[in-house]
Coordinates of all heavy atoms in Angstrom, one line a residue:
V54 N -2.3 1.3 -25.7 CA -3.1 0.1 -25.4 C -3.5 0.2 -24.0 O -2.7 0.3 -23.1 CB -2.4 -1.1 -25.7 CG1 -3.3 -2.2 -25.3 CG2 -2.0 -1.3 -27.2
F55 N -4.8 0.1 -23.7 CA -5.3 0.3 -22.3 C -5.6 -1.2 -21.8 O -6.4 -2.0 -22.2 CB -6.6 0.9 -22.2 CG -7.2 1.2 -20.8 CD1 -6.7 2.2 -20.1 CD2 -8.2 0.3 -20.3 CE1 -7.2 2.3 -18.7 CE2 -8.6 0.5 -19.0 CZ -8.2 1.5 -18.3
V56 N -4.8 -1.6 -20.7 CA -4.9 -2.9 -20.2 C -4.9 -2.7 -18.6 O -4.6 -1.6 -18.1 CB -3.7 -3.8 -20.5 CG1 -3.7 -4.1 -22.1 CG2 -2.4 -3.2 -20.2
N57 N -5.1 -3.8 -17.9 CA -5.1 -3.7 -16.4 C -3.7 -3.7 -16.0 O -3.1 -4.8 -15.6 CB -5.8 -4.8 -15.8 CG -5.9 -4.8 -14.4 OD1 -5.7 -3.7 -13.8 ND2 -6.3 -5.9 -13.7
G58 N -3.0 -2.6 -15.9 CA -1.6 -2.5 -15.6 C -0.8 -1.8 -16.8 O -1.3 -0.7 -17.3
F59 N 0.1 -2.4 -17.2 CA 1.0 -1.8 -18.4 C 1.1 -2.9 -19.4 O 1.4 -4.0 -19.1 CB 2.3 -1.3 -17.9 CG 2.2 -0.1 -17.0 CD1 2.3 -0.3 -15.6 CD2 2.2 1.1 -17.5 CE1 2.3 0.7 -14.7 CE2 2.1 2.2 -16.6 CZ 2.1 2.1 -15.2
A60 N 1.0 -2.4 -20.7 CA 1.4 -3.3 -21.8 C 2.9 -3.6 -21.7 O 3.7 -2.9 -21.2 CB 1.1 -2.6 -23.2
C61 N 3.3 -4.7 -22.5 CA 4.8 -5.0 -22.5 C 5.4 -4.3 -23.7 O 4.8 -4.3 -24.7 CB 4.9 -6.5 -22.6 SG 4.1 -7.6 -21.5
K62 N 6.6 -3.9 -23.5 CA 7.3 -3.4 -24.7 C 8.1 -4.6 -25.3 O 8.2 -5.7 -24.6 CB 8.3 -2.4 -24.3 CG 9.6 -2.7 -23.5 CD 10.4 -1.4 -23.3 CE 11.7 -1.7 -22.6 NZ 12.5 -0.5 -22.5
D63 N 8.6 -4.5 -26.5 CA 9.3 -5.6 -27.2 C 10.4 -6.0 -26.3 O 11.3 -5.3 -26.0 CB 9.8 -5.0 -28.6 CG 10.4 -6.1 -29.4 OD1 10.8 -7.2 -28.9 OD2 10.4 -5.9 -30.6
P64 N 10.5 -7.3 -25.9 CA 11.7 -7.8 -25.2 C 13.0 -7.4 -25.8 O 14.0 -7.3 -25.0 CB 11.4 -9.3 -25.1 CG 10.0 -9.4 -25.3 CD 9.6 -8.4 -26.2
K65 N 13.1 -7.4 -27.1 CA 14.4 -7.1 -27.7 C 14.9 -5.6 -27.4 O 16.0 -5.3 -27.6 CB 14.2 -7.2 -29.2 CG 13.9 -8.6 -29.6 CD 13.7 -8.7 -31.1 CE 13.4 -10.2 -31.5 NZ 13.2 -10.3 -33.1
T66 N 13.9 -4.7 -26.9 CA 14.3 -3.4 -26.6 C 14.6 -3.2 -25.1 O 15.0 -2.1 -24.8 CB 13.2 -2.4 -27.0 OG1 12.1 -2.6 -26.3 CG2 12.9 -2.6 -28.6
A67 N 14.5 -4.3 -24.4 CA 14.7 -4.2 -22.9 C 16.2 -3.8 -22.7 O 17.2 -4.3 -23.3 CB 14.4 -5.5 -22.2
L68 N 16.3 -3.0 -21.6 CA 17.7 -2.6 -21.2 C 17.9 -2.9 -19.7 O 16.9 -3.1 -18.9 CB 17.9 -1.0 -21.4 CG 17.6 -0.5 -22.8 CD1 17.6 1.0 -22.7 CD2 18.7 -1.0 -23.8
V69 N 19.1 -2.9 -19.3 CA 19.4 -3.3 -17.9 C 18.8 -2.3 -17.0 O 18.4 -2.6 -15.8 CB 20.9 -3.4 -17.6 CG1 21.7 -2.0 -17.7 CG2 21.2 -4.0 -16.3
V70 N 18.7 -1.1 -17.4 CA 18.1 0.0 -16.5 C 16.6 -0.3 -16.2 O 16.1 0.2 -15.2 CB 18.3 1.4 -17.2 CG1 17.4 1.6 -18.4 CG2 17.9 2.5 -16.1
D71 N 16.0 -1.1 -17.0 CA 14.6 -1.5 -16.8 C 14.3 -2.3 -15.6 O 13.2 -2.5 -15.1 CB 14.1 -2.2 -18.0 CG 13.9 -1.4 -19.3 OD1 13.6 -0.2 -19.1 OD2 14.1 -1.9 -20.4
F72 N 15.5 -2.9 -15.1 CA 15.4 -3.8 -13.8 C 16.2 -3.2 -12.7 O 16.6 -4.0 -11.8 CB 16.0 -5.2 -14.3 CG 15.4 -5.8 -15.5 CD1 15.9 -5.6 -16.8 CD2 14.2 -6.5 -15.4 CE1 15.3 -6.1 -17.9 CE2 13.6 -6.9 -16.5 CZ 14.2 -6.7 -17.8
F73 N 16.5 -1.9 -12.7 CA 17.3 -1.4 -11.7 C 16.8 -0.1 -11.1 O 16.1 0.7 -11.8 CB 18.7 -1.0 -12.4 CG 19.7 -0.3 -11.5 CD1 20.5 -0.9 -10.6 CD2 19.8 1.1 -11.6 CE1 21.3 -0.2 -9.8 CE2 20.8 1.8 -10.9 CZ 21.5 1.1 -10.0
F74 N 17.1 0.0 -9.9 CA 16.7 1.4 -9.1 C 17.9 1.6 -8.1 O 18.3 0.7 -7.4 CB 15.4 1.2 -8.4 CG 15.0 2.4 -7.5 CD1 14.4 3.5 -8.0 CD2 15.3 2.4 -6.2 CE1 14.1 4.6 -7.3 CE2 15.0 3.4 -5.3 CZ 14.4 4.5 -5.9
S75 N 18.2 2.8 -7.9 CA 19.1 3.3 -6.9 C 18.6 4.3 -6.0 O 18.0 5.4 -6.6 CB 20.5 3.7 -7.6 OG 21.4 4.1 -6.6
G76 N 18.7 4.2 -4.7 CA 18.2 5.3 -3.8 C 17.7 4.9 -2.6 O 17.4 5.7 -1.7
L77 N 17.6 3.6 -2.3 CA 17.1 3.1 -1.0 C 18.0 3.4 0.1 O 17.6 3.3 1.3 CB 16.6 1.7 -1.0 CG 15.3 1.4 -1.7 CD1 14.8 0.0 -1.4 CD2 14.2 2.4 -1.2
H78 N 19.3 3.6 -0.2 CA 20.3 4.0 0.8 C 20.1 5.4 1.4 O 20.7 5.7 2.4 CB 21.7 3.8 0.3 CG 22.1 4.7 -0.8 ND1 21.4 4.6 -2.1 CD2 22.8 5.8 -0.9 CE1 21.9 5.6 -2.8 NE2 22.7 6.3 -2.1
M79 N 19.3 6.2 0.7 CA 19.2 7.7 1.1 C 17.9 7.8 2.0 O 16.8 7.3 1.7 CB 19.1 8.5 -0.1 CG 20.4 8.5 -1.0 SD 20.4 9.7 -2.3 CE 19.1 9.0 -3.3
A80 N 18.0 8.5 3.1 CA 16.9 8.8 4.0 C 15.9 9.7 3.3 O 16.3 10.6 2.5 CB 17.4 9.4 5.2
G81 N 14.6 9.5 3.5 CA 13.7 10.5 3.0 C 13.5 11.6 3.8 O 14.0 11.7 4.9
N82 N 12.8 12.7 3.3 CA 12.7 13.9 4.1 C 11.5 13.8 5.0 O 10.3 13.7 4.5 CB 12.4 15.0 3.1 CG 12.3 16.4 3.8 OD1 12.5 16.5 5.0 ND2 12.0 17.4 3.0
T83 N 11.7 13.8 6.2 CA 10.6 13.6 7.3 C 10.2 14.9 7.9 O 9.4 15.0 8.8 CB 11.1 12.7 8.4 OG1 12.2 13.2 9.0 CG2 11.4 11.3 7.9
S84 N 10.6 16.0 7.2 CA 10.1 17.4 7.7 C 8.7 17.7 7.2 O 8.6 18.6 6.3 CB 11.1 18.4 7.3 OG 12.4 18.2 7.8
N85 N 7.8 17.1 7.7 CA 6.4 17.3 7.3 C 5.4 17.0 8.4 O 5.9 16.7 9.6 CB 5.9 16.4 6.1 CG 6.3 14.9 6.4 OD1 5.8 14.3 7.3 ND2 7.2 14.3 5.6
K86 N 4.2 17.2 8.4 CA 3.2 17.1 9.5 C 3.2 15.7 10.2 O 3.0 15.6 11.2 CB 1.8 17.5 9.0 CG 1.6 19.1 8.8 CD 0.2 19.3 8.4 CE 0.1 20.8 8.2 NZ -1.4 21.1 7.9
Q87 N 3.4 14.7 9.3 CA 3.3 13.3 9.8 C 4.7 12.9 10.4 O 4.8 11.9 11.1 CB 2.8 12.4 8.6 CG 1.4 12.6 8.2 CD 0.4 12.6 9.3 OE1 0.5 11.8 10.2 NE2 -0.7 13.3 9.1
G88 N 5.7 13.6 9.9 CA 7.1 13.1 10.3 C 7.5 11.8 9.7 O 8.3 11.0 10.5
S89 N 7.2 11.6 8.6 CA 7.6 10.3 7.9 C 7.8 10.6 6.4 O 7.3 11.6 5.9 CB 6.6 9.2 8.0 OG 5.4 9.6 7.4
S90 N 8.4 9.7 5.7 CA 8.6 9.7 4.3 C 8.7 8.4 3.7 O 9.3 7.4 4.3 CB 9.9 10.5 4.0 OG 10.2 10.4 2.6
V91 N 8.0 8.1 2.6 CA 7.9 6.8 2.0 C 8.7 6.9 0.7 O 8.2 7.7 -0.2 CB 6.4 6.3 1.8 CG1 6.5 5.0 1.1 CG2 5.7 6.1 3.2
T92 N 9.6 6.1 0.4 CA 10.3 6.0 -0.8 C 9.9 4.7 -1.5 O 10.3 3.6 -1.1 CB 11.9 6.0 -0.7 OG1 12.3 7.1 0.0 CG2 12.6 6.0 -2.0
A93 N 9.1 4.8 -2.5 CA 8.5 3.6 -3.2 C 9.3 3.1 -4.3 O 10.0 3.9 -4.9 CB 7.0 4.0 -3.8
V94 N 9.4 1.8 -4.4 CA 10.0 1.1 -5.5 C 9.0 0.2 -6.1 O 9.0 -1.0 -5.7 CB 11.3 0.4 -5.1 CG1 12.1 -0.1 -6.3 CG2 12.2 1.4 -4.3
N95 N 8.2 0.7 -7.0 CA 7.2 -0.2 -7.7 C 7.4 0.0 -9.2 O 8.4 0.4 -9.7 CB 5.8 0.2 -7.2 CG 5.6 1.6 -7.3 OD1 5.8 2.3 -8.4 ND2 5.0 2.3 -6.3
V96 N 6.4 -0.4 -9.9 CA 6.5 -0.4 -11.4 C 6.8 1.0 -12.0 O 7.2 1.1 -13.1 CB 5.3 -1.1 -12.0 CG1 4.1 -0.2 -11.9 CG2 5.5 -1.5 -13.5

Side-chain angles (χ1 to χ4, degrees):
V54 178
F55 185 80
V56 295
N57 183 20
F59 293 96
C61 307
K62 74 177 185 180
D63 187 339
K65 295 177 182 178
T66 66
L68 303 171
V69 68
V70 70
D71 292 324
F72 307 94
F73 174 79
F74 172 85
S75 179
L77 282 190
H78 63 291
M79 296 186 294
N82 182 8
T83 59
S84 299
N85 52 64
K86 289 183 177 180
Q87 299 298 334
S89 67
S90 176
V91 177
T92 304
V94 186
N95 54 47
V96 71

